[in-house]
Amino acid sequence: MLRRAVDRWKQYRYRFVPWIALNLKNRKVRSVQKSDSDQVISDDEATAQLLHFLDALESDESRTPSPAIDDKFNPGLNPCSKCGAIDKQYTGKKEQENDTDDSVGALRYSTITQSNSFSKSLDVRWENAEEMHRKNLSMDHAVVARRNLDIMYDELGFVIEKRKSDIVGGGCGVKVTRGPVPKHRIIALYPGTLYYPSEPIFFQSLGNPFIFRCIDQILIDGNDQGVSKVIYRSCSNRDRIGPYMLCDHTWLTENTINPMAVGQYVNNQTSGRPANVAYQEFDVPHDFPFGLRKYIPNIYYNPSTPDKPHRTTRTVLLVSLRDIEEGEELFSTYYTVVQR
């Protein structure tokens, strides 16, 4: 009897752990016959759709590169195209030294005085240049984010964005703001940090409605605030290879470079608004292009280990179950029963 009860309990894969605990009476159930049939489209089709869209983002990105976040300023060079005054002042000092015909003592005094003045001015200008550079970087990300929405429309025929939900008290949701969505199309991705069952997630889960549980018990923390945000940023910087990112971290900001990375804001279906998208777990293939991994909004909490040196990156796709018209809000099913 106890064994049967335990086996029955394991059939219930709670997609969003905190939510299901507070909404047992209001849940809508999506039934899946077995775990390997929890797919709306095949993995090959999912890979093809992702590559098509991400290739378009990368092609346009390569034509208009944005500045790197970790640029270092060289005092002897112009650190920013808008801060040429540093080079001009440096050149002026050299010219003054070369034109001086006074005695050696006077020359040394003039050089020291000019150098001290230049050094103080340079410190101020350096700080101003760095601040301006960071503002320009933020503006560039906003421009790229808006541009990528246009690319999404041109390549896929639709655009999704975070908007106020139509559900009373539903907070933020995701809506189709431009164009219709055909049936069986990848419409969004569920971003976040990936945790194996044995890894610590207690403190991150407190008051966190964005914990997604996969069929194999892997958890995805899709919260873009607080401790969750700090952990994701840390892990993404840990695994980067030089200047090359292995995941997308811009979903933590208002200027998301991959416009699909908003799946955590899709609300649960209601009695009057049935689900029009479904979650589909997807492992990014080993041969996925290296240059496109920076658009995948998922990273593991722990780095790779000797027993898992070449693990695949788990992500969750949101796939349309029917044709979705422009202006519609996306709804999913937070609660899935997997039959054994």
Side-chain angles (χ1 to χ4, degrees), residues 13 49 82 101 106 133 138 176 186 226 240-241 273 304:
R13 308 299 184 181
Q49 289 191 32
K82 297 184 180 181
D101 295 327
H133 186 76
S138 178
V176 181
I186 298 175
R240 67 188 298 174
I241 301 177
R273 297 180 175 86
S304 59

Side-chain angles (χ1 to χ4, degrees), residues 77-114:
L77 299 175
N78 179 15
C80 179
S81 59
K82 297 184 180 181
C83 302
I86 292 178
D87 278 349
K88 292 178 181 179
Q89 184 172 1
Y90 185 84
T91 302
K93 181 177 76 72
K94 287 293 185 182
E95 291 175 352
Q96 181 174 353
E97 291 175 2
N98 293 336
D99 293 339
T100 300
D101 295 327
D102 296 332
S103 64
V104 176
L107 176 59
R108 289 177 178 171
Y109 176 79
S110 176
T111 302
I112 293 173
T113 303
Q114 186 73 11

